[in-house]
Amino acid sequence: MQTLTLANIYELQGLKEDALEIYKEILKKDPGNADAKIAIRRLSGMRKKFLGVNNEMKAFFVQMDEEAEFIQFERWLMRAWN
């Protein structure tokens, strides 16, 4: 069963695409659901903002092996979430 709670759990676990799909399904069944609308706007905006960047940083993250690279990645994460 697709619920706001399940979508929230997915979102908290970093499964943004899965959460977005659940929010869309909820909105199809209940077009007036304000929580689903807000979540779709939020997640869609994040996806546009970081389109392509996440793949670059994922590749960088997988290959990191120096302290300076870890610090650089940490700074990128901080900027991404602020």
Side-chain angles (χ1 to χ4, degrees):
M1 176 168 230
Q2 295 180 333
T3 64
L4 287 172
T5 302
L6 180 59
N8 284 324
I9 290 169
Y10 281 176
E11 196 172 343
L12 290 170
Q13 291 177 337
L15 303 170
K16 309 284 188 208
E17 292 295 326
D18 295 327
L20 186 58
E21 290 306 313
I22 292 174
Y23 289 128
K24 287 178 181 178
E25 286 299 317
I26 290 170
L27 203 56
K28 283 180 188 176
K29 294 175 185 171
D30 179 11
N33 190 309
D35 291 329
K37 287 179 184 179
I38 291 168
I40 288 169
R41 277 191 230 121
R42 181 181 65 250
L43 290 175
S44 294
M46 287 176 65
R47 192 168 58 180
K48 288 177 188 171
K49 182 178 177 183
F50 298 110
L51 191 63
V53 173
N54 288 338
N55 289 331
E56 285 178 29
M57 289 312 289
K58 179 181 173 185
F60 178 73
F61 176 74
V62 170
Q63 297 175 6
M64 290 187 314
D65 63 355
E66 295 179 13
E67 182 69 22
E69 292 173 328
F70 286 100
I71 293 170
Q72 181 182 351
F73 187 73
E74 183 179 59
R75 288 181 182 152
W76 176 84
L77 284 174
M78 295 300 288
R79 283 192 310 270
W81 289 109
N82 290 326

